């Protein structure tokens, strides 16, 4: 039995090229998302298989409905081996387990993608996303382009692909120029070309319609002018926050986790019999870090009146402040040299907070057997805090690539210009101490250091564990920090109360601050529970966070029973509404970090100047189109068409020169009106209407060239000079 096939339409190659170009523009939006280049090969495979399936079914005379109904079959047969890298049965046919992974991954990997910090590893179920988009989008668009009579219908799947890529991307798109102007220009040209083909073609098969070159060139000119006209506005566009799935999907919520600050007394001696005390236990040993390196266990950036905790979406300007899955390589820019640090777990660490150093760039377990826990790891790039539910056990050592960040903070530095309104409002109960202790400060940062000094001088330190000191309870709620600490007769607490209070006082003064728990490494790199302490981090003018050391605001003097009772904090009568002088002395502003170009080469944005060439290129395309038209007419088959085309070439020359041609007249009448020998017109009539086919049209075309030169003698020289650029003959009605 033979299979009846049908040749593809003449313009099938045009549609295929347009689909390939638009798909490349759409999928380029994933460049800032995925790591490496293997995802590009997977995408290319999806494009090839999708187009191949559509072309195969169209060639064997099957309709659009059959293509759409069966395109899931090749996807299920190929996605496992190409996207997942799974082994199949004989000849790569997937088994039931692989097909199940494909189905589950296709519908669940989208959430995994938007919950992972860039750059996402080009392995695993997330690779089904570019493969599925390329396969289904190109298969549908190709089938519609070859079998549909609607000009714009094949562009719909590609537009939907672009929308999906934008939703899966970031607030600021990869390239407004490429994904906006480029995609729109190519789509307009393609849809316009299809529309002209359908208009010019036969009703039975519109794809066979022949499009005049003039119309194509004019469409290119119009689109080029429109694209060039938009260039001056691209650089001035203000980025707007558009909806993306990364901001609508609920990230990992760390707000309800027990924090090291709330559980701080576990790191201090609590006497014998406390099984979960970590004071004298060796928790970690760090290799690769110098003595004095600061290790962060947790950074807490929100206060709810009961405790400090780690939150998502604390900033309205970027998307780095979320606990996201960690890929092999993190897009976490920082200034400095990247180094490797190895953390050896020396005891069970049951807290979910993973110690890190600086701005982490990559994470991996030291032994491969623990790699199955990597999907559970979360990291907040705004606070440089890592989370792993369940904590760490022995032998779950890990290695991080990180860039140590600057920590130095001085009173002369300028704080961040915008206060954190949420924290400033949460610290309202400490308004009187904040004002009273900052009197006389000349700058906002000076006020922070002045408050820290008063806090250290006024306070005493105790973990509230032994003897009569048990009255000093743990906690960081408003009652404990106000009546039980700042305004208590004896202001006694440990790192928990001091750091929580100091951060709130700084925020009340309008200086953004947060609480951190960690340690500074000693000579041997060993971390015990008693080495951990809490400090405050201040945001300075260049956007970085600097450390306000614990010794700056925390007293180490123990309390005594006979200590003098502290009076409540009061404002002087003359300072009920204190106004600190505004910047009386010039602050020492910390220099901004050097631009990224000084550290490592960055990808340059696409230059705009090539698009300005669209205008001269569009003008230069007019004589080029005329030359191609003349060549096609002269080489026309049969030869009689060459005669007809030669006469039409003469008339087009007259139109470009501005000469008038009588409407509805015969060729001899047109010749007399133009001052051309009538023998040329009669030769064209004989070749066109005679039963016998002429042997050659070269002699006739020589006569046409002579007649065209004669026409130039009857018009001004400026018309002759502008005639090659005159598009009048390209717009003539067929």
């Amino acid at each position: 039995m033979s299979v009846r096939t049908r040749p593809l339409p003449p313009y099938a190659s045009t549609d295929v090229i347009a689909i390939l170009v638009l798909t490349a523009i759409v999928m380029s939006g994933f460049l800032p998302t995925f790591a490496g280049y293997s995802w590009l090969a997977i995408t290319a495979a999806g494009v090839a298989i999708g187009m191949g399936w559509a072309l195969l079914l169209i060639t064997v005379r099957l309709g659009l409905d059959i293509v759409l109904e069966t395109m899931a079959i090749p996807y299920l047969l190929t996605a496992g081996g190409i996207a997942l890298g799974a082994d199949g049965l004989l000849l790569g046919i997937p088994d039931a387990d692989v097909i199940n992974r494909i189905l589950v991954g296709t519908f669940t990997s989208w959430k995994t993608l938007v919950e992972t910090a860039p750059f996402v590893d080009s392995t695993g179920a997330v690779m089904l996303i570019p493969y599925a988009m390329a396969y289904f989008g190109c298969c549908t668009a190709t089938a519609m382009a070859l079998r549909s009579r609607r000009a714009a219908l094949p562009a719909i799947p590609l537009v939907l692909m672009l929308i999906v890529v934008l939703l899966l991307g970031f607030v600021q798109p990869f390239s407004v120029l490429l994904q906006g102007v480029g995609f729109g220009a190519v789509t307009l040209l393609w849809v316009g070309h299809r529309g002209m083909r359908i208009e010019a073609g036969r009703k039975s098969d519109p794809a066979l319609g022949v499009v005049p070159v003039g119309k194509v060139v004019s469409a290119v000119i119009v689109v080029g002018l429109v694209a060039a006209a938009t260039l001056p506005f691209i650089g001035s566009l203000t980025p707007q926050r558009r909806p993306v799935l990364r901001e609508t999907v609920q990230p990992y919520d760390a707000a309800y986790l027990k924090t090291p600050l709330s559980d701080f007394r576990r790191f201090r001696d609590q006497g014998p019999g406390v099984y979960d005390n970590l004071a004298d236990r060796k928790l970690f040993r760090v290799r690769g870090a110098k003595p004095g390196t600061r290790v962060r266990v947790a950074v807490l950036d929100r206060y709810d009146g009961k405790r400090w905790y780690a939150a998502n979406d604390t900033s309205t300007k970027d998307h780095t402040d979320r606990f996201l899955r960690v890929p092999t390589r993190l897009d976490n820019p920082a200034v400095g040299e990247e180094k490797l640090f190895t953390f050896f777990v020396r005891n069970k660490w049951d807290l979910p907070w993973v110690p890190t150093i600086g701005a982490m760039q990559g994470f991996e377990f030291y032994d491969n057997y623990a790699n199955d826990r990597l999907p559970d790891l979360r990291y907040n790039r705004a606070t440089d805090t890592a989370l792993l539910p369940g904590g760490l056990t022995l032998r779950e050592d890990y290695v991080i690539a990180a860039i140590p960040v600057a920590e130095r903070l001085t009173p002369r530095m300028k704080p961040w210009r915008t206060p954190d309104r949420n924290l400033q409002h949460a610290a309202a109960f400490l308004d009187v101490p904040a004002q009273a202790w900052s009197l006389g400060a000349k700058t906002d940062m000076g006020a922070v250091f002045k408050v820290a000094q008063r806090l250290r001088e006024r306070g005493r330190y105790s973990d509230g564990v032994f003897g009569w000191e048990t009255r000093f309870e743990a906690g960081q709620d408003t009652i404990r920090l106000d009546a039980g600490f700042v305004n208590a007769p004896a202001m006694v607490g440990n790192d928990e109360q001091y750091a929580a209070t100091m951060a709130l006082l700084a925020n009340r003064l309008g200086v953004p601050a947060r609480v951190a728990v960690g340690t500074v490494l000693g000579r041997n790199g060993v971390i015990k529970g008693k080495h951990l302490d809490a400090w405050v981090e201040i945001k300075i003018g260049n956007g970085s966070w600097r450390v306000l050391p614990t010794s700056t605001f925390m007293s180490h003097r123990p309390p005594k029973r006979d200590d003098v009772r502290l009076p409540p904090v009061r404002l002087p009568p003359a300072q009920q509404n204190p106004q600190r002088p505004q910047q009386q002395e010039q602050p020492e502003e910390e220099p901004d970090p050097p631009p990224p170009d000084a550290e490592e080469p960055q990808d340059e944005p696409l230059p705009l100047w090539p698009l300005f060439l669209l205008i001269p290129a569009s003008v230069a395309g007019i004589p080029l189109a005329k030359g191609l038209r003349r060549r096609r007419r002269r080489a026309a088959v049969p030869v009689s068409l060459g005669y007809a085309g030669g006469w039409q070439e003469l008339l087009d020359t007259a139109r470009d020169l501005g000469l008038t041609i009588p409407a509805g007249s015969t060729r001899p009448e047109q010749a007399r009106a133009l001052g051309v020998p009538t023998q040329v017109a009669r030769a064209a009539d004989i070749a066109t209407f005679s039963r016998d086919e002429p042997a050659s049209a070269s002699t006739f075309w020589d006569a046409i060239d002579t007649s065209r030169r004669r026409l130039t003698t009857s018009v001004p020289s400026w018309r002759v000079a502008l005639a090659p650029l005159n598009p009048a003959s390209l717009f003539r009605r067929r």
Side-chain angles (χ1 to χ4, degrees):
M1 184 181 75
S2 62
V3 179
R4 297 179 59 192
T5 60
R6 175 180 182 175
L8 295 175
Y11 281 102
S13 59
T14 302
D15 292 332
V16 169
I17 292 174
I19 294 172
L20 289 174
V21 172
L22 291 175
T23 302
I25 294 175
V26 168
M27 302 306 288
S28 68
F30 280 139
L31 286 173
T33 301
F34 292 112
Y37 299 100
S38 59
W39 71 273
L40 291 174
I42 294 174
T43 302
V47 172
I49 295 175
M51 279 190 168
W53 183 250
L55 292 173
L56 174 64
L57 297 188
I58 295 299
T59 304
V60 298
R61 309 177 72 88
L62 295 178
L64 175 61
D65 54 342
I66 301 297
V67 177
L68 300 180
E69 292 171 1
T70 61
M71 62 181 178
I73 298 175
Y75 175 73
L76 294 176
L77 294 177
T78 59
I82 295 176
L84 299 179
D87 296 330
L89 301 175
L90 183 64
L91 300 179
I93 299 175
D95 54 20
D97 178 66
V98 174
I99 292 179
N100 180 66
R101 289 172 56 191
I102 295 172
L103 293 174
V104 173
T106 301
F107 292 101
T108 61
S109 57
W110 310 86
K111 189 172 185 292
T112 302
L113 177 65
V114 297
E115 288 182 346
T116 304
F119 299 102
V120 181
D121 295 334
S122 298
T123 58
V126 291
M127 286 296 96
L128 290 170
I129 296 176
Y131 183 75
M133 290 181 59
Y135 172 81
F136 287 108
C138 290
C139 184
T140 305
T142 303
M144 289 180 174
L146 299 180
R147 299 304 300 155
S148 174
R149 300 176 62 180
R150 298 181 182 274
L153 186 62
I156 294 178
L158 302 173
V159 173
L160 294 177
M161 287 172 58
L162 178 63
I163 294 174
V164 172
V165 170
L166 293 177
L167 288 176
L168 292 175
F170 303 91
V171 172
Q172 188 171 1
F174 164 64
S175 173
V176 176
L177 181 64
L178 185 62
Q179 295 178 283
V181 178
F183 184 87
V186 176
T187 303
L188 286 176
L189 285 175
W190 181 39
V191 172
H193 185 267
R194 283 181 53 81
M196 290 186 287
R197 282 160 41 191
I198 293 173
E199 179 184 0
R202 301 192 303 271
K203 292 183 178 180
S204 60
D205 192 355
L208 295 177
V210 179
V211 182
V213 177
K215 288 190 175 182
V216 176
V217 174
S218 62
V220 172
I221 294 173
V222 172
V223 173
L225 293 175
V226 172
T230 62
L231 292 179
F233 302 98
I234 292 178
S236 61
L237 290 177
T238 302
Q240 301 293 330
R241 293 188 71 85
R242 56 185 179 85
V244 292
L245 292 179
R246 292 180 179 273
E247 294 192 348
T248 58
V249 173
Q250 180 64 34
Y252 184 87
D253 192 359
Y256 301 100
L257 297 177
K258 181 182 292 187
T259 69
L261 189 67
S262 300
D263 215 18
F264 195 81
R265 294 199 174 185
R266 289 186 63 191
F267 309 130
R268 295 296 182 261
D269 184 14
Q270 298 179 28
V274 182
Y275 73 94
D276 64 343
N277 184 246
L278 303 175
D280 291 317
R281 294 186 187 179
K282 292 182 179 181
L283 302 176
F284 301 93
R285 184 172 67 85
V286 184
R287 186 173 67 188
K290 298 179 180 179
T293 302
R294 190 172 296 272
V295 177
R296 284 176 174 81
V297 174
V299 176
L300 313 175
D301 52 3
R302 275 290 171 264
Y303 183 76
D304 60 2
K306 297 181 180 179
R307 66 184 186 122
W308 281 90
Y309 63 94
N312 293 294
D313 300 323
T314 57
S315 173
T316 59
K317 294 184 178 181
D318 55 34
H319 191 64
T320 61
D321 53 346
R322 282 190 161 203
F323 285 96
L324 301 175
R325 299 177 189 269
V326 179
T328 302
R329 291 293 301 177
L330 267 170
D331 181 19
N332 192 19
V335 177
E337 180 183 357
E338 181 177 322
K339 299 180 180 180
L340 291 179
F341 305 100
T342 305
F343 286 76
F344 297 97
V345 183
R346 288 292 176 257
N347 216 312
K348 179 176 175 57
W349 175 255
D350 56 2
L351 293 175
W353 309 90
V354 179
T356 60
I357 295 175
M360 193 169 75
Q361 308 295 310
F363 182 102
E364 64 179 7
F365 281 102
Y366 197 73
D367 295 320
N368 293 332
Y369 83 94
N371 284 339
D372 58 345
R373 301 199 63 195
L374 274 176
D376 297 328
L377 185 69
R378 301 292 190 277
Y379 187 75
N380 189 320
R381 289 174 289 164
T383 61
D384 293 319
T385 302
L387 282 174
L388 185 62
L392 296 163
T393 61
L394 288 173
R395 299 196 339 177
E396 288 185 340
D397 308 327
Y398 59 94
V399 181
I400 65 171
I403 300 176
V405 296
E407 300 176 354
R408 178 174 173 269
L409 180 70
T410 67
R412 297 177 63 84
M413 289 182 181
K414 183 183 295 185
W416 184 250
R417 56 186 176 275
T418 306
D420 189 320
R421 299 301 180 187
N422 293 325
L423 290 175
Q424 193 175 36
H425 177 72
F429 70 97
L430 295 175
D431 184 61
V432 172
Q435 294 186 41
W437 292 347
S438 63
L439 290 176
K442 298 180 180 180
T443 64
D444 289 336
M445 190 66 76
V448 171
F449 275 84
K450 196 172 184 63
V451 167
Q453 179 183 359
R454 292 288 296 151
L455 198 64
R456 185 185 72 250
E457 293 173 350
R458 186 180 174 93
R460 298 291 186 270
Y461 188 93
S462 173
D463 293 307
V465 176
F466 302 104
W468 67 275
E469 296 180 13
T470 55
R471 70 181 69 178
F472 305 118
E473 299 178 349
Q476 49 191 289
D477 56 76
T478 55
I479 297 177
R480 177 65 176 93
L481 299 184
D482 187 6
F485 188 62
V486 173
N487 284 309
M491 196 177 84
V492 181
N494 63 2
D495 295 56
E496 179 183 9
Q497 289 76 43
Y498 276 98
T501 303
M502 184 64 234
L504 289 172
L505 288 170
N507 278 287
R508 191 59 188 172
L509 294 172
V511 178
R514 62 193 187 189
V515 179
V517 178
T519 186
V520 176
L521 291 178
R523 291 184 177 181
N524 56 5
V526 174
I527 301 176
K528 294 183 178 181
K530 63 183 179 183
H531 295 155
L532 297 181
D533 58 5
W535 62 82
V536 174
E537 295 184 351
I538 304 294
K539 191 174 185 180
I540 65 172
N542 63 12
S544 64
W545 291 86
R546 299 302 178 92
V547 175
L548 183 66
T550 307
S551 58
T552 306
F553 58 84
M554 190 172 67
S555 170
H556 290 281
R557 293 177 296 174
K560 298 180 180 180
R561 281 180 178 270
D562 57 352
D563 277 341
V564 178
R565 294 171 60 89
L566 297 174
V569 182
R570 295 281 189 269
L571 283 171
Q575 297 291 338
Q576 293 299 322
N577 295 306
Q579 298 290 334
R580 291 196 306 275
Q582 298 296 320
Q583 307 294 335
Q584 294 293 329
E585 64 180 57
Q586 187 66 25
E588 177 191 355
E589 183 176 355
E590 185 72 9
D592 291 343
D597 292 341
E599 301 297 328
E600 57 182 357
Q602 299 290 329
D603 293 336
E604 294 290 340
L606 293 176
L608 298 181
W609 64 265
L611 291 183
F612 285 99
L613 299 178
L614 289 175
I615 297 178
S618 301
V619 176
I622 296 176
L624 177 62
K626 291 180 180 180
L628 294 176
R629 180 184 62 185
R630 172 182 171 84
R631 182 177 179 181
R632 176 170 55 85
R633 287 171 173 174
R634 188 158 190 164
V637 178
V639 179
S640 57
L641 289 181
Y643 276 80
W647 183 257
Q648 192 59 55
E649 186 72 17
L650 178 65
L651 297 182
D652 287 340
T653 302
R655 290 189 180 91
D656 292 340
L657 291 171
L659 299 175
T660 302
I661 303 173
S665 56
T666 62
R667 287 192 178 100
E669 291 173 345
Q670 293 172 347
R672 285 190 288 271
L674 295 175
V676 175
T678 56
Q679 294 86 345
V680 180
R682 292 193 183 95
D685 284 340
I686 292 172
T688 302
F689 300 111
S690 175
R691 181 175 300 178
D692 299 328
E693 190 70 23
S696 173
S698 58
T699 304
F700 175 76
W701 270 88
D702 291 340
I704 289 294
D705 292 339
T706 302
S707 300
R708 291 175 63 227
R709 287 192 292 270
R710 180 178 296 180
L711 292 178
T712 60
T713 62
S714 60
V715 295
S717 58
W718 64 270
R719 277 193 174 275
V720 177
L722 294 179
L725 301 177
N726 186 359
S729 62
L730 297 176
F731 290 95
R732 67 178 182 82
R733 296 180 61 86
R734 298 184 70 249

